[in-house]
Amino acid sequence: MTLSLDKVCTAEGVLLALFLVFSCALWIKKRRLPLPPGPTGWPIIGNVFDMPPNSEWEAFQRWGKESNSDIVYLNMAGTSIVVLNSVKAVKDLLEKRSSIYSNRTKFTAINEILGWSWLMPFMRYGAEWKERRRHFQRYFHPSALTIHKPQERQHIQFLLQRMSEDPNNYLHHIQHAIGGILYSVAYGFKIKEQDDPYIALAKQITGYLCQCAVPSMVAMDRIPKAIRTLIQPLLPGPIFSKPKQYWADLADHFLDAPFERVQQLMAEGKEEPSFLSESLKAELKPDESEQTRHAIIKDIAAIVFIGGSGTTTAILHTFMLSMLMHPEIQAKGQEEIDRVIGRRRLPDYDDEPNLPYCRALLREVYRQVQCQVFTNCYPNAFLCFRWHPAGPIGIPHFLDKDDEYNGYHIPKGSVVIANVWAMCQNEDEYPNPEIFNPERHLKDGKLDPDLRDPSLLNFGFGRRICPGMHMGMSMVWTTAMSILATYKISKALDKQGNEIEPKVEFVPLITVQPAPFDCTITPRHEGVRDLLFGTKDL
């Protein structure tokens, strides 16, 4: 039995018509999908005046609660901002749909005005970023933690010794120790001087980055280059007043000086094991030039150093303040260390599984101490930490094409922000979130497997998750537990012997962290000095 040509054509016509009708229906439905809820804005400028001068993460959370939605939409003078206030929304979009949510906005201030396009966290998603990511993971994957252990132990010992000799400068000692570990891992250099010029240069660069990574700077991505060139000299601050060559020379010195020094030491056979020396020894790939390889490893070495220093220091500084404010919790952690490890050696990362209370204590540091400290936070801190999250809203993602989620239309080109602060203050997961309570993470004396580990929210999401998170967590754990094992942190005393209440403020560096505060740091027992100075190695 055969069909006539007319019937075949009719059938094809019907199918084509149905396809067109179905496609049009989908298109109309898509166009009719509403944007996520958010505050009502003004014509043209949108929600520019709705954005608070500081602590914007709190406003994001409030708007979400008011609209009963875990995603919030803002129009910032034509730039679409989509805020994700829940872990579920973050996982559904930034992780499950990472193929379209892994890009970055232009970051005009960093990549064009400063010309620092070598900074991997701010790179657009593409071949250059992927190559650097692959190379980073090749040397810093989780199973390679032993690579930095010797440097970690040595610099932690230096830190504890300096805290014994000069406890008032505890923050400087912490910064120096973390910088020394990362500098040694990246380049193989040993830093013993308290005022190393390369660490000072890194602090200078991170300071400029902080100024460029605030939300108001993202608005520059929408300004045409011709107009930006005209208004740039009129804008305040060194970012706009200094010539482009100044920023280029600063970056070149930061990238090239240690690289050339390692090359010279290798030529003399005097180099120490490091990421850079091992990378220079590796064979080139068939399609890779020496120039390309050098550019990649210079960028990565600089990111290892600059990327980990600020965040890790912020966490440890926050840990110090939390122990000062909660002496009873400090004592419980010290009791567990004494009972499990004893007083004849310092804690190591391998001890972590055997110290559940200390693990819970650090998880609570990662999560939050007292929410009200946000009211003292300096304005417009964009890259932050978590005590308060050390990164309450992190580095924003960028949506490459139109998307749909929970019945809402999310426009292509949206800047997508993960509001980690809101996730860490979720009362359904963390009742009474304003209270610093390590016990919330424990069940029957062990870590509660059903409660989310807030430390995992610190390092980004999807393809943009920090590839060095395992090394960072190791440094935080070993340093914090070593301080806890050897020193008592208590309130400072005035001349009359009365306790001085610390003034809790936060300042923006590359992360937001507590402002320096006075405290008393004393050895916990008579064996501390022998433990720190009696042997050369830990």
Side-chain angles (χ1 to χ4, degrees):
M1 181 176 175
T2 58
L3 294 174
S4 66
L5 181 61
D6 290 341
K7 289 182 178 180
V8 171
C9 291
T10 301
E12 290 179 347
V14 171
L15 290 173
L16 178 61
L18 289 173
F19 173 77
L20 291 174
V21 169
F22 183 69
S23 298
C24 288
L26 287 178
W27 183 81
I28 291 171
K29 179 184 177 184
K30 180 180 178 181
R31 296 293 294 177
R32 287 180 177 174
L33 284 177
L35 293 167
T40 303
W42 293 80
I44 302 178
I45 63 173
N47 303 109
V48 168
F49 293 122
D50 293 312
M51 187 69 74
N54 55 32
S55 302
E56 57 268 29
W57 39 87
E58 289 185 333
F60 296 156
Q61 183 192 43
R62 184 180 69 254
W63 291 329
K65 287 183 175 180
E66 291 171 352
S67 57
N68 194 28
S69 172
D70 55 0
I71 59 174
V72 173
Y73 178 84
L74 300 166
N75 172 15
M76 300 297 288
T79 297
S80 294
I81 307 288
V82 175
V83 182
L84 310 179
N85 281 325
S86 72
V87 174
K88 183 180 185 305
V90 164
K91 288 187 174 295
D92 287 346
L93 299 181
L94 302 189
E95 295 187 357
K96 293 180 181 179
R97 304 182 192 180
S98 60
S99 61
I100 60 173
Y101 280 91
S102 295
N103 219 333
R104 295 291 197 212
T105 187
K106 292 179 181 177
F107 282 113
T108 300
I110 293 173
N111 292 324
E112 293 186 23
I113 295 177
L114 296 184
W116 292 354
S117 57
W118 52 273
L119 287 158
M120 192 167 69
F122 301 98
M123 279 185 177
R124 302 279 286 174
Y125 186 76
E128 289 188 5
W129 178 85
K130 289 179 181 178
E131 184 59 35
R132 282 158 177 76
R133 175 87 175 195
R134 281 194 294 267
H135 200 84
F136 191 110
Q137 290 178 313
R138 191 179 306 147
Y139 286 88
F140 296 106
H141 53 84
S143 62
L145 283 179
T146 54
I147 292 176
H148 72 277
K149 283 293 183 65
Q151 295 94 324
E152 188 177 277
R153 292 190 185 99
Q154 185 180 53
H155 282 88
I156 289 174
Q157 181 167 350
F158 291 156
L159 163 65
L160 299 174
Q161 290 173 348
R162 286 164 179 154
M163 289 179 70
S164 173
E165 297 165 345
D166 183 17
N168 292 332
N169 286 320
Y170 67 92
L171 178 56
H172 179 73
H173 303 326
I174 290 173
Q175 292 172 333
H176 188 273
I178 298 305
I181 293 169
L182 295 171
Y183 194 41
S184 179
V185 169
Y187 302 108
F189 303 145
K190 301 293 190 295
I191 298 179
K192 293 188 178 180
E193 298 79 9
Q194 287 287 74
D195 298 305
D196 184 85
Y198 194 69
I199 289 183
L201 178 59
K203 289 175 65 176
Q204 182 183 3
I205 287 178
T206 56
Y208 290 130
L209 280 177
C210 181
Q211 297 174 44
C212 289
V214 296
S216 57
M217 286 290 195
V218 177
M220 297 190 70
D221 296 349
R222 303 282 296 185
I223 302 175
K225 188 173 182 179
I227 297 177
R228 194 176 70 245
T229 302
L230 291 174
I231 66 172
Q232 189 171 321
L234 305 177
L235 298 174
I239 302 299
F240 305 105
S241 61
K242 294 184 181 295
K244 197 164 187 175
Q245 190 58 47
Y246 172 85
W247 304 117
D249 292 343
L250 192 67
D252 287 346
H253 180 63
F254 185 68
L255 292 166
D256 292 340
F259 178 82
E260 292 169 358
R261 185 178 167 193
V262 170
Q263 282 188 312
Q264 180 180 353
L265 290 172
M266 290 179 67
E268 299 170 357
K270 298 178 180 178
E271 79 280 4
E272 294 289 337
S274 68
F275 161 77
L276 198 57
S277 63
E278 294 302 311
S279 297
L280 286 170
K281 293 174 184 177
E283 293 185 7
L284 295 173
K285 296 188 296 187
D287 59 343
E288 183 182 36
S289 68
E290 185 178 78
Q291 183 179 7
T292 300
R293 167 66 66 82
H294 287 183
I296 290 172
I297 62 179
K298 277 196 291 187
D299 291 354
I300 295 173
I303 286 298
V304 168
F305 178 58
I306 201 173
S309 297
T311 301
T312 307
T313 299
I315 301 172
L316 291 169
H317 195 186
T318 302
F319 163 78
M320 295 288 290
L321 181 55
S322 66
M323 294 300 93
L324 174 64
M325 301 296 290
H326 302 278
E328 73 287 353
I329 292 174
Q330 177 185 176
K332 285 184 179 180
Q334 290 167 336
E335 185 278 329
E336 183 179 62
I337 292 173
D338 288 349
R339 173 167 41 84
V340 175
I341 297 176
R343 294 183 170 184
R344 301 186 65 180
R345 69 173 179 88
L346 295 177
D348 193 76
Y349 196 50
D350 296 334
D351 296 312
E352 187 187 31
N354 302 318
L355 298 169
Y357 187 84
C358 289
R359 293 175 71 186
L361 185 157
L362 268 190
R363 285 190 180 188
E364 190 69 352
V365 169
Y366 275 107
R367 192 193 68 81
Q368 169 189 9
V369 175
Q370 295 170 335
C371 299
Q372 60 265 32
V373 298
F374 272 115
T375 59
N376 297 323
C377 189
Y378 286 73
N380 288 330
F382 190 73
L383 300 176
C384 310
F385 191 57
R386 179 168 334 329
W387 191 20
H388 162 171
I393 52 180
I395 304 178
H397 292 231
F398 184 86
L399 179 59
D400 281 330
K401 68 177 186 179
D402 288 328
D403 196 18
E404 174 187 338
Y405 181 66
N406 283 356
Y408 296 120
H409 172 60
I410 304 179
K412 174 184 177 181
S414 293
V415 175
V416 183
I417 293 172
N419 188 2
V420 180
W421 186 84
M423 301 174 210
C424 286
Q425 311 309 314
N426 184 344
E427 294 184 3
D428 293 333
E429 283 196 290
Y430 310 110
N432 300 316
E434 71 281 0
I435 297 174
F436 183 75
N437 178 23
E439 303 284 350
R440 75 171 81 244
H441 302 278
L442 297 171
K443 184 177 182 181
D444 299 327
K446 299 179 181 179
L447 286 177
D448 185 352
D450 298 322
L451 185 63
R452 192 184 313 280
D453 179 359
S455 66
L456 300 179
L457 301 176
N458 274 285
F459 299 96
F461 306 96
R463 299 180 186 181
R464 285 290 185 167
I465 193 168
C466 173
M469 62 181 292
H470 304 284
M471 183 168 65
M473 293 175 79
S474 171
M475 286 191 297
V476 168
W477 166 267
T478 310
T479 307
M481 293 304 107
S482 295
I483 293 173
L484 197 60
T486 51
Y487 292 107
K488 178 182 178 181
I489 304 163
S490 54
K491 294 178 181 179
L493 303 178
D494 61 19
K495 293 180 179 179
Q496 287 73 41
N498 300 314
E499 290 186 343
I500 301 173
E501 290 297 324
K503 186 178 180 181
V504 180
E505 290 183 341
F506 287 82
V507 294
L509 300 174
I510 191 64
T511 58
V512 168
Q513 59 179 294
F517 53 88
D518 292 329
C519 64
T520 300
I521 300 174
T522 54
R524 288 188 55 232
H525 53 84
E526 295 180 356
V528 167
R529 184 165 185 84
D530 289 339
L531 182 63
L532 301 184
F533 294 92
T535 58
K536 294 182 179 179
D537 299 312
L538 296 181

